[in-house]
């Protein structure tokens, strides 16, 4: 069975992630996790490299007091891989660009592939356009907006 992380409260900020290089997070279930599920976040002076998120199930991402929500959030990363994840059931009915299954903010060489994304307001949002990011073979359905660059 997959390890389960249950935030238990929509106002919580339960996240599982990496703030260092070369971390793989595989096979987790995250539910009821507030405004974020999986995260890889660096800074302009500390780019995070080589993070992999795969075979995870993230659902129930909502926090009514903010519109910055994501099942997977990437900021200041290089070479991150997001693949074979099931990202679904964001109960927030607001439609905002900052509410997305996969939210990228200043990333380079990311690969987002083979993910099943549904019941979110936005599937994938690359906020600042990134550099050499690839999006391929994702099944994005039952959402308001597919991919935003």
């Amino acid at each position: 069975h997959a390890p389960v992380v249950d935030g238990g409260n929509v106002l919580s900020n339960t996240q599982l992630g990496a703030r260092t290089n070369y971390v793989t997070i595989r096979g987790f279930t995250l539910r009821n996790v507030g405004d974020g599920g999986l995260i890889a976040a660096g800074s302009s002076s500390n780019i995070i490299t080589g993070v992999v998120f795969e075979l995870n199930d993230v659902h129930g991402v909502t926090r009514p007091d903010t519109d910055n929500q994501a099942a997977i959030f990437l900021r200041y990363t290089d070479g991150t891989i997001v693949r074979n994840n099931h990202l679904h059931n964001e109960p927030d009915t607001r439609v905002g660009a900052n509410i997305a299954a996969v939210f990228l903010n200043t990333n380079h060489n990311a690969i987002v592939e083979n993910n099943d994304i549904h019941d979110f307001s936005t599937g994938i949002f690359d906020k600042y356009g990134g550099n050499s990011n690839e999006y391929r073979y994702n099944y994005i359905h039952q959402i308001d907006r597919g991919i935003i660059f």
Side-chain angles (χ1 to χ4, degrees):
H1 297 281
V4 175
V5 176
D6 189 334
N9 183 337
V10 296
L11 294 179
S12 69
N13 191 11
T14 305
Q15 297 175 334
L16 179 61
R19 293 189 189 269
T20 189
N21 298 326
Y22 304 106
V23 172
T24 296
I25 296 179
R26 178 184 300 121
F28 280 83
T29 295
L30 285 85
R31 62 184 181 218
N32 308 317
V33 290
D35 61 0
L38 298 170
I39 183 170
S43 66
S44 60
S45 62
N46 182 30
I47 306 297
I48 301 299
T49 302
V51 173
V52 177
F53 294 127
E54 64 184 357
L55 300 170
N56 298 292
D57 182 353
V58 183
H59 56 95
V61 177
T62 188
R63 187 166 170 175
D65 61 338
T66 181
D67 72 343
N68 292 304
Q69 303 171 30
I72 297 180
F73 180 77
L74 309 176
R75 182 180 64 220
Y76 288 108
T77 69
D78 186 24
T80 300
I81 298 172
V82 176
R83 67 176 166 223
N84 301 317
N85 297 288
H86 186 201
L87 313 173
H88 58 105
N89 296 86
E90 166 220 357
D92 195 327
T93 58
R94 295 173 296 161
V95 176
N98 289 339
I99 301 173
V102 181
F103 188 126
L104 297 95
N105 181 337
T106 316
N107 300 274
H108 306 289
N109 306 303
I111 297 174
V112 180
E113 65 183 357
N114 298 317
N115 297 289
D116 181 4
I117 300 170
H118 61 90
D119 296 302
F120 262 84
S121 59
T122 302
I124 299 170
F125 179 34
D126 192 339
K127 188 165 188 172
Y128 296 111
N131 180 21
S132 300
N133 294 333
E134 294 184 41
Y135 308 96
R136 56 190 184 210
Y137 315 116
N138 295 289
Y139 181 42
I140 301 173
H141 55 106
Q142 295 170 278
I143 63 168
D144 297 306
R145 299 179 292 186
I147 301 176
I148 299 174
F149 297 99

